[in-house]
Amino acid sequence: MGSTSSTLSKIPNADELIQETGFTSAHLARLFERFEALDKDKKGYLSPQDFEAIKELALNPICDRIIGAFFSSGQEMLDFSSFVRILAHFRPIDNNRTKEPNSPDPINSRINKLKFAFQLYDQDKDGKISRNELLQVLRAMLEKQVTEEQLESIADRTIQEADLDRDDAISFEEFRKSLEKVNIDHKMSIRFLR
Amino acid sequence: MPYSTVLTLLEAIILICDALAEGQIDEASQTLQLHSETNLTNAFIVKVQWQHVENPYLVVIWILVAGVAKMSVVQLNTRLKSFFPESGLLIICGFILGGIVWGADKAQTFKLTPRNFFYFLLPQIILDTGYFMPNKLFFSNLGAILVHAVIGTVWNAGAVGVSLWGCWLGGAMGDLNIGLLQFLLFGSLLAAVDPVAVIAVFEEVHVNEVLFIWVFGESLLNDGVTVVLYNVFDAFVSLGGEKINAGEIIKGIVSFFVVSFGGSAIGVIFAIIISLLTKYTGKVQIIEAGFIFVLGYLSYLTAEMLSLSAILSVTFCGVCCQKYVNANMDEKSVTAVRYAMKVFANGSETMIFVFLGVTAIDSVIWVWNTGFICLTILFAIIYRFIGVFTLTWFLNQYRLVPIEVIDQLVMSYGGLRGAVAYGLAASLDETRIPEKNLIISTTLIVVYFTVVIQGLTMKPIVKWLKVKRVEPTDLKLIEKVNNRACEHVLAAMEDIVGRIGDNWWTRGWKRFEDTYITWFLMKPEARKNRDYLFSIFHKLNMEDAVNYVTEGEKRGSLGFLRSGEGTNVDFEKKHGMEFSGVMPDITSELDFGIDNVPVTSIRNPVPSVSLDIHEQDMKSMSEDFNAHHLLQQNLYRSRKNHRHKYSRSDFTINQSEDEVQEIFQRTMRNRLESFKSAKMGVTPVKKITKHPKPNHKMSNVKTTDKSYPYGDEDFEFSEADSAYSGDGAAARGSPPVRAPPYSLGGGIENPAFMPEMDTPPPPWLTEAETNTGVAPSQRAQRQLPWSPTNLRRLAPLRLSNRSTDSFVMADVAAAPDSSDESPKEPSEEERDGQRDGTHM
């Protein structure tokens, strides 16, 4: 496609990105268009404000967490390659791609998907979801239908279920173990338009 | 004909049953008339009036027979390791029964008539499936289901019809008075996968949920197509080939949309009516369960009356009303509906299969035509495979997670035909279709072939192909929490990527539902408590509570809980045995959803025999009360449930003398130790080293898990808090910390129940070296089993429509007593000042 290749030429190190994320060039071109559309001031990077400007996203109860996940390294600028790398978490796992023995896990592997979910809870990045952190997420998600007291009970029970070493917090290992039966591929994948 | 009216009325009352020959009503009423004219002279003391009761009597007898057949089939099946599908065995039972009847009467007296099937047997099965439809799964796969149901069915009908016609032209079937249109009509009645057969077979196989919903959804939704195809070709046949023009065909296509969307719309309308009705049944809860059935049936009949798709109508009625109805109705009614629904559906399913067998024993309908029959089976299977594979290939292009080839195989193989096809075949008009009997017998053979042979081989094939099955998993709150988070994340990602996808639609609908629909259809009280996560939480707690009680009763009586401390522990085994028999059922019942009813039937002081209908209401009050009592006695402590010790399958009652002895000794030791420690005010330090859970959530204390400065004081009780803090202090009455030995998944810790922490853990849960730390007397003094204070503890957690205000008030009033007697001792926890007293 002509438009695809012309868009691709604008993307710096497009080939590496395709290699790394597993997106097709059509995907990449499409995401680049979206990136440019989000980048209202044409500054070449996205700021948290750009995300907040997405109307639907602003209504999301845990939108600050999600936006935060894009800016996890603390800086306020998100260039296209990081943007794509984060979105690549949500690519469905492809079975037929032969995995080279030495290559690292692809970004969209189960473990990486889980890691992404985990860091949404783990605000202080100490590798553990504390009761407070969980409570914050729960509070946002359950909104006003549940009293604070009930919320805490839910948080307690949730931690209790996962907490293997009884430190009243969920480490990533515990998180992974307790979600072993969940089909994360289904829960953490979206379809990208070509 | 007054008698016939009465009989018809009776028939209507016994909805599930009427499986008798249609003509018999008239016959019966005629004989009845004769009867009443002739016998006027003598007075009788006892007289057998068989004619009076013949019809309903036979109906009920048949129900009984079918029930017994089912029972024996299940019995037999367990011995055969469920190798045979139940439906197939029931059909074979039907053969035998039909043979017996035939042997007695030398003619076929009973058979499945289309009228009885479509009006009295089918509706409740479909209502049941709609009502228990996993909505989320269903709607998220709706597109694929529709593609299969519509295109797949049309393809099957057309391909089978045309191919048979071709073979007939080729001379494979000998001399038959039949044409292309008749073949197409036959193809269309045979095209549809049958919901009854699919449910019956797939229920036993437990394939993965996506596969299940595809087959199952297809079998339900293809009814619209089947009805239209059938009607259209039926009309074409009566029109005759040459009068069919483009206009008629377009009419047929339009009628497809009218029939299916019209049918669905009728269902939705009735669902709204049901929801609205149950919204206002607060005062007469006893009848609300009835509304579901009456209106569900009415939706079926209405759609039938308007010649729309009745199956679609009742399906959507069930699908749409379930959520609101369950929220609006009292929990007992919800259970009642659930149960009754299953009883009706199971009953008619059994009847259908038995009568499919009985029907076959008839010399009239059997017209054998090897070519026709074999080719039909062959084509039905082949085109099913082709259709499924082609459509799924297309769908896979757009699916996030493609359907695997193995799943497609099973899906094709699961294309079972059933009683719907037979019903349609039997209602053909003999004058227009001369080969009606051949069609009926072929349909029956296809049905037997698919249900018995394919049903029989389904399980081995699923096993052999290693089809992904549903793994029975324990419900986990963390999974649910994370799923919720994932939903939000996915929706957000779609927003960021700028694509309108499934999650976008789901979320949009949720918002719309939250703002408008729940407001319109739900009781205001019900609206508050319906958060999904919370209901899961509640359900888990209920399970724990029931487990706890079961376990307690298995090991002895829970009586000591009420009567104070270990002194009068009475190990009354009798109770324990009784209840442990009851409890397992209840636990499994809980799997269906959220209800805290089950525990109620226990310790019910109201006599179970009563002639007053309304006593049910009163009884329910006291049952509630009992449930409250029972639960509040036990629920709060479930966190100490050593769940790994509880095996649901292990019901061996190992209450040997040794064990009783052991429990007794443990209790004594605990009491001695607690006595000692209370006296000396010292704690064995080893118990404090690990304190995984803050013991006193009632004051919303947040603890950090790092350190527990023992000297931290706990005096700042706010006014509103005093009752709880009092309890809390009582819980910590003596310094020995009760470090609860708790394990993963070992239950809950719930602030709502925590105030009762001063009760000692039951002896079997107390590790030998654990200190109970509470002087026995405290517990005994404070125990007011029926006081509102106790009741209140359950109140916020119940998903109930009752106000909790009065309890709260009573609680405040009762506060001083409890706080007075509880010594305010230093607490070992640190608080971070986040207490906010929201629980009041």
Side-chain angles (χ1 to χ4, degrees):
Chain A
M1 263 190 289
S3 65
T4 304
S5 52
S6 67
T7 320
L8 274 184
S9 59
K10 279 190 273 175
I11 307 173
N13 53 31
D15 290 337
E16 286 163 38
L17 273 179
I18 290 173
Q19 188 69 30
E20 186 186 341
T21 59
F23 281 120
T24 63
S25 50
H27 281 146
L28 210 62
R30 181 138 197 131
L31 286 176
F32 190 69
E33 280 163 21
R34 179 65 185 168
F35 182 83
E36 285 184 321
L38 288 179
D39 179 16
K40 294 233 171 48
D41 317 327
K42 301 278 166 266
K43 47 194 182 300
Y45 61 86
L46 292 181
S47 65
Q49 288 75 34
D50 287 324
F51 282 102
E52 278 154 24
I54 306 172
K55 201 167 94 255
E56 289 292 336
L57 185 62
L59 290 174
N60 199 313
I62 52 171
C63 85
D64 52 337
R65 297 296 175 106
I66 292 159
I67 296 173
F70 279 88
F71 298 94
S72 51
S73 42
Q75 86 287 37
E76 293 282 287
M77 291 147 72
L78 182 76
D79 58 9
F80 180 67
S81 46
S82 332
F83 179 72
V84 171
R85 264 183 215 116
I86 283 170
L87 288 177
H89 282 101
F90 295 92
R91 225 166 49 78
I93 296 170
D94 28 23
N95 302 319
N96 37 15
R97 182 186 270 216
T98 48
K99 202 182 158 223
E100 294 140 42
N102 289 330
S103 68
D105 271 354
I107 299 182
N108 62 346
S109 72
R110 183 188 158 83
I111 201 100
N112 280 331
K113 281 176 194 287
L114 273 174
K115 267 183 190 143
F116 189 90
F118 184 80
Q119 53 140 350
L120 288 180
Y121 300 95
D122 183 22
Q123 277 307 79
D124 57 7
K125 300 196 174 43
D126 62 350
K128 276 181 177 168
I129 304 174
S130 70
R131 183 171 180 276
N132 249 326
E133 284 167 344
L134 182 65
L135 210 52
Q136 281 168 25
V137 177
L138 278 175
R139 199 176 288 135
M141 289 198 304
L142 277 88
E143 290 168 23
K144 65 255 161 195
Q145 288 155 348
V146 175
T147 67
E148 184 70 22
E149 186 189 42
Q150 294 166 339
L151 212 60
E152 289 185 19
S153 334
I154 294 179
D156 282 338
R157 175 153 193 150
T158 312
I159 289 185
Q160 214 175 20
E161 277 180 356
D163 192 11
L164 295 177
D165 56 6
R166 303 187 192 174
D167 61 351
D168 213 4
I170 306 175
S171 69
F172 179 69
E173 195 54 22
E174 289 165 347
F175 186 71
R176 190 183 60 79
K177 279 221 176 84
S178 57
L179 295 178
E180 222 153 31
K181 297 240 172 84
V182 178
N183 192 338
I184 286 294
D185 192 26
H186 286 229
K187 308 274 181 210
M188 290 285 286
S189 299
I190 60 170
R191 279 174 45 79
F192 289 92
L193 283 186
R194 292 152 202 274
Chain B
M1 290 202 285
Y3 283 107
S4 92
T5 336
V6 172
L7 283 171
T8 339
L9 258 177
L10 266 173
E11 208 180 5
I13 293 168
I14 321 166
L15 279 182
I16 55 157
C17 41
D18 188 349
L20 284 177
E22 185 177 6
Q24 286 194 350
I25 291 175
D26 294 329
E27 281 169 34
S29 53
Q30 277 163 13
T31 41
L32 281 176
Q33 274 179 340
L34 281 174
H35 183 81
S36 52
E37 279 158 21
T38 48
N39 73 41
L40 294 168
T41 45
N42 301 19
F44 290 96
I45 296 172
V46 176
K47 193 179 64 166
V48 177
Q49 289 186 313
W50 168 245
Q51 284 85 354
H52 265 302
V53 294
E54 183 178 351
N55 257 323
Y57 206 91
L58 285 174
V59 167
V60 176
I61 290 289
W62 268 115
I63 294 175
L64 184 66
V65 168
V68 172
K70 170 126 184 168
M71 241 168 64
S72 39
V73 158
V74 170
Q75 203 75 32
L76 183 72
N77 225 355
T78 37
R79 217 168 285 166
L80 295 177
K81 304 235 158 43
S82 334
F83 178 67
F84 227 77
E86 226 175 275
S87 41
L89 281 179
L90 283 173
I91 289 184
I92 292 167
C93 263
F95 289 153
I96 298 166
L97 289 171
I100 294 170
V101 172
W102 209 72
D105 288 4
K106 300 288 173 236
Q108 195 195 38
T109 326
F110 305 101
K111 62 172 180 175
L112 188 62
T113 61
R115 175 173 162 275
N116 288 326
F117 172 68
F118 282 115
Y119 288 101
F120 302 112
L121 290 173
L122 189 60
Q124 58 267 34
I125 296 185
I126 310 294
L127 182 63
D128 171 77
T129 56
Y131 190 77
F132 290 101
M133 179 74 76
N135 269 354
K136 202 176 158 196
L137 195 60
F138 177 67
F139 283 111
S140 56
N141 287 293
L142 190 60
I145 292 171
L146 279 176
V147 166
H148 278 287
V150 177
I151 304 177
T153 309
V154 171
W155 153 255
N156 267 359
V160 170
V162 171
S163 315
L164 282 176
W165 180 64
C167 292
W168 174 70
L169 285 183
M173 301 166 197
D175 190 23
L176 287 178
N177 181 10
I178 203 165
L180 173 62
L181 283 175
Q182 276 93 338
F183 273 121
L184 284 173
L185 180 57
F186 176 61
S188 66
L189 70 85
L190 209 57
V193 176
D194 183 74
V196 185
V198 164
I199 298 162
V201 169
F202 273 72
E203 218 163 49
E204 296 174 38
V205 183
H206 303 298
V207 293
N208 63 70
E209 49 181 17
V210 176
L211 180 56
F212 177 71
I213 202 74
W214 275 36
V215 181
F216 176 53
E218 182 199 343
S219 71
L220 282 173
L221 298 193
N222 63 18
D223 177 67
V225 186
T226 317
V227 167
V228 172
L229 283 178
Y230 180 81
N231 287 341
V232 166
F233 285 122
D234 201 32
F236 283 179
V237 167
S238 46
L239 272 178
E242 55 284 357
K243 286 194 194 130
I244 300 168
N245 50 27
E248 296 292 333
I249 291 170
I250 289 172
K251 237 195 256 171
I253 294 170
V254 172
S255 81
F256 161 70
F257 288 101
V258 173
V259 165
S260 28
F261 286 104
S264 315
I266 298 269
V268 173
I269 290 169
F270 272 90
I272 293 173
I273 296 175
I274 294 178
S275 310
L276 279 179
L277 272 179
T278 51
K279 188 177 168 185
Y280 297 109
T281 45
K283 293 265 176 348
V284 273
Q285 285 169 350
I286 202 75
I287 59 164
E288 61 191 4
F291 281 135
I292 318 285
F293 295 98
V294 171
L295 283 166
Y297 192 46
L298 208 55
S299 79
Y300 186 89
L301 293 179
T302 312
E304 195 69 43
M305 177 181 81
L306 301 171
S307 65
L308 302 172
S309 166
I311 292 186
L312 279 182
S313 166
V314 76
T315 303
F316 275 94
C317 182
V319 165
C320 296
C321 80
Q322 47 167 268
K323 184 170 178 187
Y324 312 109
V325 162
N326 282 342
N328 280 340
M329 286 198 307
D330 189 71
E331 283 139 19
K332 281 188 294 302
S333 309
V334 172
T335 319
V337 168
R338 235 178 229 144
Y339 211 84
M341 203 74 104
K342 288 291 171 207
V343 170
F344 282 135
N346 245 311
S348 5
E349 193 188 272
T350 312
M351 295 291 283
I352 287 173
F353 284 121
V354 167
F355 269 89
L356 270 178
V358 170
T359 312
I361 312 299
D362 185 7
S363 52
V364 184
I365 57 164
W366 288 108
V367 180
W368 193 264
N369 184 327
T370 317
F372 188 74
I373 290 168
C374 291
L375 285 171
T376 307
I377 294 181
L378 185 70
F379 287 137
I381 293 177
I382 289 180
Y383 290 123
R384 167 83 188 167
F385 271 88
I386 295 177
V388 166
F389 273 84
T390 323
L391 291 175
T392 314
W393 184 83
F394 276 112
L395 287 169
N396 269 346
Q397 307 297 307
Y398 298 96
R399 271 187 74 83
L400 188 64
V401 185
I403 297 285
E404 288 162 29
V405 180
I406 292 172
D407 284 6
Q408 295 177 37
L409 268 175
V410 174
M411 203 182 154
S412 321
Y413 201 67
L416 308 176
R417 316 302 205 271
V420 173
Y422 167 75
L424 289 174
S427 45
L428 286 174
D429 186 357
E430 219 159 331
T431 52
R432 285 187 311 230
I433 296 146
E435 300 288 352
K436 180 187 172 186
N437 279 336
L438 175 62
I439 288 183
I440 291 185
S441 43
T442 313
T443 312
L444 276 178
I445 287 180
V446 173
V447 170
Y448 298 148
F449 181 84
T450 53
V451 173
V452 179
I453 310 240
Q454 284 180 218
L456 180 66
T457 44
M458 180 66 90
K459 231 184 238 177
I461 285 187
V462 165
K463 251 186 217 149
W464 179 63
L465 290 175
K466 296 197 181 71
V467 175
K468 253 187 256 155
R469 307 248 205 142
V470 186
E471 285 174 40
T473 49
D474 287 340
L475 191 61
K476 267 189 176 174
L477 197 56
I478 185 162
E479 288 177 4
K480 301 294 171 188
V481 168
N482 192 53
N483 287 354
R484 173 76 69 95
C486 286
E487 276 168 31
H488 286 306
V489 171
L490 290 192
M493 288 305 153
E494 286 189 350
D495 292 333
I496 290 169
V497 180
R499 175 180 173 266
I500 293 179
D502 306 336
N503 296 297
W504 190 87
W505 287 108
T506 325
R507 193 184 41 184
W509 164 253
K510 248 187 202 140
R511 240 172 240 156
F512 176 72
E513 193 189 26
D514 279 348
T515 29
Y516 301 106
I517 297 183
T518 53
W519 168 81
F520 183 54
L521 294 180
M522 270 197 202
K523 279 183 185 169
E525 311 92 85
R527 256 175 265 152
K528 281 182 215 149
N529 274 335
R530 38 171 217 92
D531 189 274
Y532 177 67
L533 278 180
F534 185 68
S535 64
I536 295 285
F537 173 64
H538 178 74
K539 195 170 132 187
L540 284 169
N541 282 349
M542 289 303 302
E543 269 176 25
D544 280 353
V546 173
N547 279 344
Y548 176 82
V549 173
T550 319
E551 185 68 7
E553 282 163 346
K554 218 163 77 180
R555 308 234 182 167
S557 163
L558 287 174
F560 58 87
L561 285 178
R562 215 169 348 132
S563 49
E565 250 286 354
T567 31
N568 38 7
V569 174
D570 80 3
F571 295 99
E572 200 187 321
K573 299 255 196 69
K574 209 178 95 236
H575 268 282
M577 312 274 269
E578 264 172 38
F579 293 150
S580 57
V582 175
M583 286 305 183
D585 292 338
I586 290 163
T587 335
S588 58
E589 175 71 24
L590 275 168
D591 292 340
F592 286 116
I594 326 111
D595 45 302
N596 51 14
V597 205
V599 204
T600 51
S601 53
I602 298 149
R603 294 179 203 193
N604 178 10
V606 183
S608 52
V609 181
S610 162
L611 293 176
D612 184 4
I613 304 174
H614 290 282
E615 218 217 358
Q616 197 62 34
D617 291 333
M618 286 162 54
K619 207 197 274 181
S620 69
M621 293 275 292
S622 72
E623 276 176 358
D624 253 2
F625 209 56
N626 278 335
H628 276 240
H629 181 58
L630 197 62
L631 287 177
Q632 66 91 5
Q633 286 281 346
N634 306 303
L635 195 56
Y636 64 93
R637 233 183 317 216
S638 47
R639 67 195 284 251
K640 283 199 214 78
N641 258 358
H642 288 239
R643 202 189 253 175
H644 59 275
K645 281 189 196 163
Y646 294 8
S647 154
R648 281 193 204 176
S649 53
D650 177 20
F651 287 114
T652 48
I653 301 171
N654 53 349
Q655 288 169 330
S656 60
E657 282 302 308
D658 291 350
E659 190 175 332
V660 174
Q661 270 299 317
E662 197 198 327
I663 295 175
F664 180 67
Q665 279 170 0
R666 268 195 214 166
T667 325
M668 283 308 284
R669 191 162 7 146
N670 286 333
R671 289 184 56 229
L672 275 174
E673 272 176 25
S674 66
F675 178 61
K676 240 190 285 172
S677 56
K679 204 173 161 189
M680 293 147 68
V682 282
T683 321
V685 184
K686 56 172 177 154
K687 291 314 294 172
I688 316 172
T689 47
K690 193 73 181 177
H691 194 278
K693 283 285 162 185
N695 236 349
H696 53 175
K697 282 289 152 41
M698 57 282 182
S699 39
N700 288 341
V701 177
K702 303 237 172 38
T703 38
T704 59
D705 48 299
K706 286 151 203 141
S707 63
Y708 293 95
Y710 300 126
D712 210 359
E713 300 280 342
D714 191 16
F715 284 132
E716 345 126 4
F717 298 126
S718 73
E719 196 61 27
D721 256 349
S722 63
Y724 296 94
S725 316
D727 280 356
R732 287 164 256 128
S734 34
V737 182
R738 290 187 289 123
Y742 92 105
S743 57
L744 173 70
I748 52 143
E749 177 172 24
N750 190 321
F753 304 119
M754 291 308 281
E756 281 242 319
M757 274 314 283
D758 55 342
T759 47
W764 67 83
L765 284 179
T766 320
E767 303 292 348
E769 67 278 354
T770 306
N771 279 287
T772 15
V774 178
S777 57
Q778 269 186 351
R779 159 81 188 166
Q781 281 166 11
R782 288 197 57 259
Q783 193 51 47
L784 303 164
W786 304 100
S787 78
T789 329
N790 295 329
L791 274 184
R792 187 251 157 212
R793 284 178 189 121
L794 268 179
L797 269 174
R798 278 196 77 215
L799 297 183
S800 142
N801 47 9
R802 287 187 187 81
S803 158
T804 59
D805 289 359
S806 56
F807 295 146
V808 175
M809 294 310 290
D811 218 14
V812 172
D817 297 359
S818 48
S819 49
D820 277 349
E821 68 186 48
S822 45
K824 296 196 164 57
E825 293 277 352
S827 140
E828 68 284 351
E829 273 89 9
E830 76 170 18
R831 31 181 73 192
D832 61 5
Q834 277 213 36
R835 117 217 299 227
D836 49 14
T838 40
H839 50 273
M840 281 310 271

